[in-house]
């Protein structure tokens, strides 16, 4: 079963990557990043059951990841709100500050 | 090539994965932002189901609580607070999108190839523990107590920071 | 007894020290510069005279000394000096003319703002020429040979603001380079075939003089001799490569006197004398040398008949006289060649310096614009007349004795060349009388009359000294006194007296002057008569047999064409490739600039693609 879970995680990760690279709305980009993190979580939990040394550690790590992801989502949305106040948009095409 | 026994676990796995892939694809292809978030919630729920399949009940519950609940609601709030005007028709960037699609597909191809060719050891799957939640709690408060405490500090700081950032311009 | 001989290596160092000092001084200290240059050459002159008087002792033996320069294990290259009678004579000629030119230049170059640089170059030239004279082997000789070439280049192009001077300097350098390449090849071949790879002149003498010990075959000897002779052709302005010498007259006149009349151009003849044994060992080489010299003598003399630039006339005269010397060498009379070199150095330097005095006074070089200068510039006129008579071969002036010696020798050896020599002598007398009568006699055709004045003492005194030398220098070797020949060659005092040669020589000289006087002095023969009857001949002579045009057409144009072809190849093929690379870079840069648009997603995509490439590169190695 392990390869099936890993393949599933890879699919999720690649869809998330595509969304993160293509979507213009910053909120959706954040969501796509969450999707990629979830794919990683799936891997962690799958290895915790089917890995060479099965243990609960994988699940603990998944929990940590979820925590950090939650913090990231909160800060990300806060930043977006601040950005929107300053620029009136969250369309990523409008942001090219890195060019300067 | 998929030489997998067709048993109960696989059937359930198949259903959940179908839900997740459909949700993920919808997430990247739908037009309205709110719809995207809702399909994303579907993905999160499917993933929670998969966690149950993997004998990780506590993680599954956390997934439902944090992702399907908190994060989705947070994103909807984010959308509501930023998307006053409906996004105008975006200028298309075909080259960029094609390249991104090709890159994602290539990456998937590589990963898939790696997964297919790797010889995974034939270890016994972990027996499901009696009480998943209490085992994890024990582990967290013994072996991982320092990272756990650090994480709680990180979470607190992040939330306070988020409030500070979001509030600053409001005044 | 020979303490001066042993310290002869000091002689070139005086002018060299002067050169270093003058270079350090820069353009300031004009007076001090003149003084330093003159003192440097005076010290060299005094030393040379001391060495020379030591050599007069009949018991004096050749002295040479040196040190190892490069030790290649099998071969050893040495730097050294050698004092022989020939060298001592050359030392005196070079230092004497150099000193007089230094003094003269103090007046002639007075108003030039780069006079210090000029004196520096002259000092460097004197150093190089003395080093050339003293060198004891072919390699060091070659080094100094090139060094005098460089000085000639620098001094011909001294007034580099004039385009003609620049062109002349380049021409002098490039044309002599052809000969120098031959000389270098000759030295290399010599080095290769000499027993023990010895290059010193005494070994050359030993190998080649004693009837061919079989060390070197006849054909090799001939090719070495001809290659060395190429160097002579280039440096001494012999026939095919003479074209640079008339153009070199763009340099300051004292330089023409020092380098292009008395010393450097005589270096070729000196080389012939130093390597005379090689030439003597090959009859073919001797014939080549003799005929080429004779041809050059008559060729240049005829050209000189039709020129109007006073310095060009003298330049062609120099070529002609060098032809005489080379012819004498080729006929086997080393004494004749060196004797003529000796007398020619004085009277030709005198003629050039007197010409310089005239140019200084009238500010033109065209003899048709002069005339009637005789009464205004007495010292110049008299000294010029002495030089002209000496050149024309009128006794008792020095030129007569040396020319007579060559002609007497030619009469014995090769009557054909004797006739050639006589015709050349007639032409010489004719063009000198033409020059003299047009410039000094008759009515003045000058633009500004009043300004013509005799030059200052600092310029006339060297003229007088040279005039005295021109008269007196001939008596070291006369038909009844073979001292110079005996002293030079170490043999007996052979006397080459030939009444026929003397009579013929005087006759053609007097005849030439008489015809010249009739045409240009008295005017009883119409000046343009000859030219009017044979306009093609006059044109041919005036355009110097179209040698420059010939070279231009045959060599310069094809080489230019080749250069243009190569340039086009460089421009379009190599340059095109370079531009293509540049264009690709620029285009790539444009693309990258557009990608660098500040959008995080583009950066992210780029990073992902890069990651894929890295993975492909690392993992993909498995598959190939």
């Amino acid at each position: 079963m392990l390869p099936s879970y890993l393949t599933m995680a890879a699919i999720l990760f690649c869809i998330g990557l595509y969304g993160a690279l293509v979507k213009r709305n910053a909120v959706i980009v954040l969501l796509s990043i969450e999707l990629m993190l979830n794919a990683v979580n799936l891997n962690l939990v799958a290895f915790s059951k089917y890995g060479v040394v099965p243990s609960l550690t994988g699940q603990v790590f998944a929990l940590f990841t979820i925590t950090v992801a939650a913090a990231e989502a909160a800060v990300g949305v806060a930043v977006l709100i601040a950005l929107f106040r300053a620029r009136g948009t969250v369309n990523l095409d409008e942001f090219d500050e890195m060019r300067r | 090539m998929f030489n997998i026994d067709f048993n109960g676990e696989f059937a359930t796995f198949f259903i959940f994965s179908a839900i997740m892939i459909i949700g993920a694809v919808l997430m990247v292809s739908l037009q309205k932002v709110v719809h995207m978030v809702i399909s994303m919630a579907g993905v999160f729920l499917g993933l929670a189901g998969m966690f149950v399949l993997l004998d990780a009940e506590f993680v599954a519950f956390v997934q439902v609580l944090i992702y399907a609940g908190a994060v989705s609601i947070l994103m909807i709030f984010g959308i509501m607070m930023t998307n006053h005007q409906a996004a105008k028709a975006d200028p298309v960037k075909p080259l960029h999108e094609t390249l991104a699609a090709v890159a994602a597909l290539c990456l998937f191809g590589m990963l898939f190839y790696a997964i297919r060719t790797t010889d995974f050891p034939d270890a016994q799957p972990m027996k499901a523990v009696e009480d998943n939640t209490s085992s994890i709690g024990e582990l967290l408060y013994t072996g991982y107590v320092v990272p756990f405490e650090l994480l709680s500090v990180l979470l607190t700081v992040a939330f306070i920071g988020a409030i500070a950032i979001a509030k600053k311009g409001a005044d | 007894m020979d303490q001066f001989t042993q310290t002869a290596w000091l002689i070139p160092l005086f002018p060299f020290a002067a050169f270093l000092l003058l270079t350090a001084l820069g353009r300031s200290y004009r007076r001090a510069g003149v003084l330093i240059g003159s003192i440097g050459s005076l010290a060299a002159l005094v030393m040379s005279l001391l060495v020379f008087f030591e050599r007069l002792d009949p018991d004096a033996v050749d002295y040479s000394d040196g040190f190892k320069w490069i030790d290649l294990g099998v071969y050893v290259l040495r730097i050294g000096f050698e004092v022989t009678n020939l060298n001592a004579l050359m030392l005196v000629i070079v230092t004497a003319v150099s000193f007089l030119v230094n003094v003269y230049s103090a007046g002639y170059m007075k108003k030039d703002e780069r006079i210090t640089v000029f004196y520096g170059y002259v000092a460097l030239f004197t150093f190089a020429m003395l080093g050339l004279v003293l060198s004891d082997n072919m390699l060091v000789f070659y080094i100094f040979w090139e060094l005098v070439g460089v000085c000639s280049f620098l001094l011909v192009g001294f007034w580099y603001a004039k385009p003609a001077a620049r062109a002349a300097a380049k021409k002098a350098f490039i044309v002599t380079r052809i000969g120098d390449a031959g000389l270098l090849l000759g030295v290399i071949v010599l080095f290769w075939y000499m027993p023990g790879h010895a290059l010193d002149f005494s070994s050359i003498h030993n190998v080649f003089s004693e009837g061919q010990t079989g060390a070197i075959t006849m054909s090799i000897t001939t090719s070495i001799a001809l290659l060395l002779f190429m160097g002579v052709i280039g440096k001494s302005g012999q026939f095919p490569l003479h074209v640079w010498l008339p153009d070199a007259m763009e340099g300051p006149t004292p330089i023409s006197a020092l380098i292009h009349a008395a010393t450097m151009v005589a270096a070729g003849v000196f080389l012939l004398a130093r390597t005379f044994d090689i030439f003597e060992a090959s009859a073919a080489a001797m014939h080549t040398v003799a005929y080429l010299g004779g041809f050059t003598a008559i060729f240049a003399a005829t050209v000189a008949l039709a020129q109007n630039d006073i310095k060009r006339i003298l330049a062609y005269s120099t070529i002609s006289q060098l032809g005489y010397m080379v012819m004498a060498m080729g006929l086997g009379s080393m004494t004749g060649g060196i004797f003529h070199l000796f007398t020619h150095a004085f009277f030709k330097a005198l003629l050039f310096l007197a010409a310089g005095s005239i140019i200084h006074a009238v500010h033109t070089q065209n003899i048709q614009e002069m005339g009637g200068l005789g009464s205004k510039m007495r010292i110049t006129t008299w000294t010029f007349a002495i030089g002209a008579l000496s050149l024309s071969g009128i006794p008792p002036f020095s030129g007569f004795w040396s020319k007579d010696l060559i002609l007497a020798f030619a009469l014995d050896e090769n009557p054909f060349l004797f006739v050639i020599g006589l015709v050349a002598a007639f032409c010489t007398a004719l063009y000198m009388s033409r020059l003299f009568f047009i410039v000094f006699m008759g009515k003045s055709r000058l633009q500004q009359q009043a300004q013509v004045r005799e030059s200052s003492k600092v310029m006339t005194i060297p003229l007088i000294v040279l005039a005295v030398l021109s008269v007196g220098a001939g008596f070291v070797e006369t038909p009844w006194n073979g001292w110079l020949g005996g002293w030079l060659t170490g043999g007996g005092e052979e006397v080459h007296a030939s009444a026929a040669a003397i009579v013929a020589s005087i006759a053609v000289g007097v005849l030439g002057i008489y015809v010249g006087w009739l045409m240009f002095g008295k005017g009883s023969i119409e000046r343009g008569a000859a030219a009017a009857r044979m306009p093609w001949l006059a044109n041919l002579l005036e355009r110097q047999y179209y040698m420059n045009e010939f070279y231009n057409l045959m060599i310069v144009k094809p080489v230019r064409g080749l250069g243009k072809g190569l340039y086009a190849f460089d421009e379009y093929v190599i340059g095109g490739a370079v531009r293509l690379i540049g264009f690709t870079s620029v285009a790539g840069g444009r693309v990258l600039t557009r990608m660098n648009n500040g959008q995080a997603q583009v950066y992210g995509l780029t990073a992902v693609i890069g990651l894929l490439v890295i993975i492909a590169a690392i993992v993909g190695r498995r598959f190939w």
Side-chain angles (χ1 to χ4, degrees), chain A residues 43-94:
Chain A
N43 269 3
L44 284 171
V45 175
F47 274 113
S48 105
K49 185 174 180 184
Y50 293 108
V52 184
V53 189
S55 79
L56 282 177
T57 312
Q59 298 182 15
V60 174
F61 263 91
L63 287 173
F64 286 165
T65 316
I66 290 170
T67 320
V68 174
E72 175 251 313
V75 175
V77 169
V79 168
L80 286 185
I81 290 168
L83 255 182
F84 181 77
R85 287 220 186 92
R87 306 280 300 268
T89 180
V90 286
N91 191 334
L92 285 180
D93 287 351
E94 314 270 325

Side-chain angles (χ1 to χ4, degrees), chain C residues 279-317:
Chain C
F279 286 90
E280 268 196 319
S282 160
M286 286 299 264
H287 281 120
T288 314
V289 172
Y291 283 108
L292 199 77
F295 178 71
T296 307
I298 191 164
F299 167 84
T302 51
V303 173
L305 282 173
Q307 298 301 307
N308 280 328
D309 183 320
I310 184 168
K311 287 181 73 181
R312 264 176 190 273
I313 297 173
L314 292 177
Y316 272 105
S317 158

Side-chain angles (χ1 to χ4, degrees), chain A residues 20-21 23 93 95-96 98-99, chain C residues 597-601 603-605:
Chain A
L21 289 181
K23 287 292 150 187
D93 287 351
F95 301 121
D96 54 359
M98 277 194 283
R99 197 179 190 174
Chain C
N597 59 0
Q599 292 191 359
Q601 285 177 320
Y603 294 174
L605 178 62

Side-chain angles (χ1 to χ4, degrees), chain C residues 317-560:
Chain C
S317 158
T318 305
I319 295 171
S320 166
Q321 299 305 310
L322 288 166
Y324 257 107
M325 299 174 207
V326 170
M327 183 177 87
M329 290 287 181
L331 289 170
S333 170
M334 190 179 109
T335 311
I338 293 298
F339 184 35
H340 199 52
L341 191 164
F342 176 62
T343 57
H344 174 258
F346 294 127
F347 66 70
K348 189 51 68 65
L350 166 63
L351 286 171
F352 265 113
L353 292 186
S357 171
I358 296 165
I359 295 165
H360 197 65
V362 303
H363 301 292
T364 177
Q365 299 192 9
N366 190 341
I367 56 171
Q368 303 296 352
E369 294 174 9
M370 302 173 186
L373 294 176
S375 53
K376 289 167 188 152
M377 304 175 72
R378 291 200 170 275
I379 302 175
T380 306
T381 309
W382 278 108
T383 50
F384 194 93
I386 291 171
L389 287 172
S390 186
L391 177 57
S392 307
I394 302 298
F397 301 104
S398 60
F400 165 72
W401 306 113
S402 54
K403 202 176 276 187
D404 176 61
L405 181 66
I406 296 172
L407 288 175
F409 211 89
L411 186 59
D412 283 359
E413 297 281 324
N414 192 331
F416 174 67
L417 283 176
F418 172 72
V419 175
I420 296 266
L422 275 186
V423 176
F426 172 75
C427 291
T428 306
L430 184 57
Y431 66 68
M432 280 321 287
S433 56
R434 166 176 182 261
L435 178 60
F436 187 83
F437 290 126
I438 288 182
V439 171
F440 294 103
M441 302 297 156
K443 271 198 205 142
S444 174
R445 292 177 293 278
L446 277 173
Q447 318 287 326
Q448 321 98 319
Q449 306 280 350
Q451 292 173 0
V452 177
R453 237 182 293 122
E454 181 58 275
S455 304
S456 59
K457 281 220 172 63
V458 78
M459 283 164 75
T460 50
I461 286 173
L463 292 181
I464 294 166
V465 173
L466 281 171
V468 170
L469 284 170
S470 298
V471 178
F475 289 101
V476 293
E477 169 97 12
T478 54
W480 59 88
N481 170 18
W483 174 81
L484 181 74
W487 182 71
L488 267 183
T489 55
E493 295 194 2
E494 233 178 297
V495 176
H496 258 282
S498 160
I502 293 176
V503 171
S505 162
I506 296 175
V508 293
V510 171
L511 184 66
I513 291 175
Y514 180 67
V515 171
W517 179 72
L518 285 182
M519 283 172 80
F520 303 104
K522 196 168 165 230
S524 56
I525 301 178
E526 183 58 39
R527 253 182 225 202
R533 207 157 300 161
M534 290 176 289
W536 59 273
L537 182 65
N539 211 14
L540 193 65
L541 292 180
E542 196 173 343
R543 301 304 298 273
Q544 305 148 36
Y545 288 104
Y546 291 99
M547 283 303 284
N548 284 316
E549 286 78 1
F550 174 76
Y551 281 138
N552 206 21
L553 194 68
M554 296 306 291
I555 295 171
V556 177
K557 285 244 172 83
V559 172
R560 279 243 171 92

Side-chain angles (χ1 to χ4, degrees), chain C residues 573-594:
Chain C
V573 179
I574 296 174
V578 171
R579 274 197 292 275
L580 184 68
I581 292 170
F583 175 78
T584 320
S585 307
V586 170
R590 291 234 172 86
V591 170
L592 288 175
T593 311
R594 280 196 53 198

Side-chain angles (χ1 to χ4, degrees), chain C residues 611-622:
Chain C
L611 175 74
L612 288 175
V613 170
I614 290 171
I615 292 174
I618 293 173
V619 177
R621 274 204 318 218
R622 253 194 242 180

